[in-house]
Amino acid sequence: MEIVTKKSSQNVGGVQKSLSPWAVARRKFVKNKLAMVSLIFLLAVTIVSIIAPFVLTQDITKVNIGQMSLFPSSEHFLGTDKSGRDVFTRLLYGGRVSLLVGITCTFFVILFGTIIGSLAGYFGGAIDSVLMRFTDFILNFPFLVFVIVLSAILFGKLSGVWVIIIVISFLSWGGVARIVRSKILAEKENEYVLASKSIGCSSSKIIIKHLLPNVLSTIIVQASITFASMIVAEAGLSYLGFGIPQEVPSWGNMLSSSKEPDVLQYKPWIWAPPAIIITLTILSINFIGEGLKDALNPKN
């Protein structure tokens, strides 16, 4: 999915001015109403989560036996959980952790996947074989088993949030590496790469300055897909008890209380808010990803 030399033009003071492919993509994305609404929602959730500690003063860890499992009210907008903690406050604080995990894991996954995929695709031969066999090993390794093992090894050496970031990132870059490799394999056969080699450009310069910019649109779309996947991974692992520690609020471990039949059936205010916000966030990221995919597609 490359941005080719197809350009649009606009009239500026009677002069025809060409638009760059990125400007064309930006215009198409802005015209996608669903993608723009999703982007605004995601930005709003992120900003509210960031400023939560400066606005809310309630203790998110203090257990209050006298206020356990209270219905939503004017005092507690979304009620309280089994430990008497305000659900709304924990929801906002939980967004900080879940979004931090999602963004950080996405950065590392895209970074590792792009490096491995670029090297394998450009050099080929033995380097390609070694890197792709390692990638296959990562892709085929039992995810949950490895999470449990690495979490046990790293527990106590790092904070719980960074343990889950390291574990998820290490196990999730394989798919990105394969996609980048396939795009680099196709791109390196173009004449501009042969011309760069003929004038003595180094391999690192060719990859960074010539190949990666031409596969950047693919990487951007993969980043949006990965972001959604990382939030789901954190939520799933925390729900099962192998993710963020319970004392640190996240959307995932807020859902873990729904494993109890009493809470699931009769106290939906405890688990429904994080479930709804996770669903809306994932949908928003997916709509943004689809908007980027359409905007960066030169055929549209």
Side-chain angles (χ1 to χ4, degrees):
M1 195 167 35
E2 303 160 30
I3 298 182
V4 295
T5 55
K6 178 181 178 182
K7 296 184 179 180
S8 294
S9 59
Q10 61 178 352
N11 235 326
V12 181
V15 180
Q16 200 76 3
K17 182 181 177 181
S18 295
L19 294 176
S20 69
W22 289 107
V24 174
R26 184 173 62 251
R27 284 193 168 192
K28 288 194 289 186
F29 182 82
V30 171
K31 290 180 181 179
N32 189 324
K33 294 181 180 179
L34 190 57
M36 286 302 298
V37 170
S38 299
L39 180 60
I40 292 170
F41 173 80
L42 185 61
L43 288 174
V45 170
T46 303
I47 292 171
V48 170
S49 297
I50 291 173
I51 66 174
F54 307 102
V55 177
L56 303 174
T57 58
Q58 298 185 43
D59 192 339
I60 59 173
T61 59
K62 183 180 179 181
V63 175
N64 192 334
I65 299 177
Q67 295 186 334
M68 294 171 58
S69 304
L70 294 181
F71 282 97
S73 63
S74 57
E75 184 181 358
H76 300 286
F77 182 59
L78 294 176
T80 61
D81 61 13
K82 299 181 302 175
S83 300
R85 298 169 298 191
D86 186 73
V87 172
F88 180 69
T89 304
R90 287 178 61 81
L91 188 70
L92 297 185
Y93 275 84
R96 292 165 58 86
V97 175
S98 294
L99 292 173
L100 171 66
V101 172
I103 293 171
T104 309
C105 287
T106 299
F107 171 77
F108 286 123
V109 166
I110 295 299
L111 178 64
F112 296 156
T114 300
I115 292 173
I116 298 297
S118 299
L119 294 177
Y122 180 78
F123 290 106
I127 293 177
D128 183 25
S129 298
V130 171
L131 291 177
M132 285 302 100
R133 296 300 75 76
F134 180 59
T135 302
D136 291 338
F137 171 77
I138 294 296
L139 288 172
N140 293 324
F141 206 95
F143 183 79
L144 186 57
V145 174
F146 211 14
V147 167
I148 296 171
V149 173
L150 283 182
S151 296
I153 293 173
L154 296 175
F155 183 77
K157 299 179 181 179
L158 297 170
S159 71
V161 175
W162 284 103
V163 167
I164 200 67
I165 287 174
I166 292 172
V167 171
I168 294 178
S169 300
F170 182 73
L171 297 175
S172 304
W173 55 264
V176 175
R178 283 198 164 278
I179 292 172
V180 172
R181 171 183 175 270
S182 66
K183 300 298 292 185
I184 294 293
L185 282 172
E187 280 293 323
K188 76 173 185 178
E189 300 301 327
N190 290 328
E191 292 181 358
Y192 69 86
V193 177
L194 299 176
S196 299
K197 290 180 179 178
S198 67
I199 61 174
C201 288
S202 63
S203 297
S204 60
K205 186 175 181 179
I206 293 174
I207 293 173
I208 295 172
K209 290 192 174 182
H210 299 292
L211 289 174
L212 285 181
N214 283 285
V215 301
L216 186 59
S217 58
T218 300
I219 295 173
I220 290 173
V221 174
Q222 284 302 309
S224 67
I225 297 172
T226 302
F227 185 23
S229 301
M230 296 301 98
I231 292 178
V232 171
E234 181 278 319
L237 290 171
S238 297
Y239 177 82
L240 294 173
F242 301 115
I244 305 299
Q246 285 296 322
E247 62 269 16
V248 180
S250 78
W251 292 339
N253 59 29
M254 287 180 70
L255 280 175
S256 63
S257 59
S258 66
K259 289 186 289 186
E260 300 181 16
D262 175 61
V263 174
L264 185 62
Q265 295 180 27
Y266 304 113
K267 301 171 184 176
W269 65 86
I270 294 178
W271 60 267
I276 292 171
I277 197 67
I278 288 174
T279 302
L280 292 177
T281 301
I282 298 305
L283 285 175
S284 297
I285 295 171
N286 286 334
F287 288 139
I288 293 170
E290 287 298 318
L292 289 171
K293 183 178 179 181
D294 292 339
L296 296 171
N297 188 346
K299 295 180 181 179
N300 292 339

